[in-house]
Amino acid sequence: MFKWDEKYKTGIKQIDDQHQELFRIASKVYSLLKEKNKSDKFDEIIEVLEELQQYTIYHFKTEEDYMRKINFSGYSVQKEEHDMFIEKFMAVEIYKIDENQEGFVKDLLYDVSKWIIHHILEEDMKIGKA
């Protein structure tokens, strides 16, 4: 489902490399959804959620540092979107994951997909053109 493609390239190597890593993490989420042989995926869900949380913080800092360095005019919009994305994933109530693991994974997959489609293809492309 998540396959890196040239259309996602911003032209900024460090950011593109990090986006590829986000695709890898997103693929792990998709794999969790597709794995039907295991009824309890709680540990794997927590693992991929924590990886996503940590990596997005790292990646967003890289993007924000770069935007400040080039005096990117859209910095404040990007920063706000980054903060909202991080806040959403940091506010996950762990006990709710166990109540509906499949639903949580579907929601996580939706949010990550939406982020890739909207944020990378629309917002991050603007950084590469600055």
Side-chain angles (χ1 to χ4, degrees), residues 1 4 7 11 17 22 46 59 71 73 77 86 90 98 101 112 114-115 119:
M1 178 170 183
W4 178 258
K7 71 180 178 184
D17 290 347
L22 289 172
I46 296 300
H59 169 63
N71 292 317
S73 63
V77 171
I86 290 169
M90 295 307 251
D98 211 23
Q101 292 180 15
V112 171
K114 190 169 101 177
W115 182 265
H119 194 81

Side-chain angles (χ1 to χ4, degrees), residues 21-76:
E21 180 63 13
L22 289 172
F23 271 69
R24 186 194 65 76
I25 296 168
S27 292
K28 286 174 74 171
V29 176
Y30 182 69
S31 294
L32 279 174
L33 184 64
K34 289 297 171 192
E35 186 177 327
K36 301 295 182 193
N37 296 332
K38 191 171 185 180
S39 61
D40 185 5
K41 304 174 190 176
F42 183 80
D43 292 340
E44 291 87 351
I45 294 169
I46 296 300
E47 182 180 310
V48 77
L49 177 63
E50 288 175 351
E51 185 176 8
L52 183 63
Q53 289 168 334
Q54 292 169 9
Y55 199 79
T56 52
I57 290 168
Y58 165 74
H59 169 63
F60 292 161
K61 182 181 181 326
T62 300
E63 280 188 356
E64 291 164 10
D65 288 348
Y66 182 83
M67 286 185 282
R68 282 193 302 271
K69 178 180 163 188
I70 66 166
N71 292 317
F72 181 63
S73 63
Y75 171 81
S76 60

Side-chain angles (χ1 to χ4, degrees), residues 1-12:
M1 178 170 183
F2 293 97
K3 184 174 169 135
W4 178 258
D5 187 278
E6 294 294 311
K7 71 180 178 184
Y8 296 106
K9 287 181 96 172
T10 63
I12 305 160

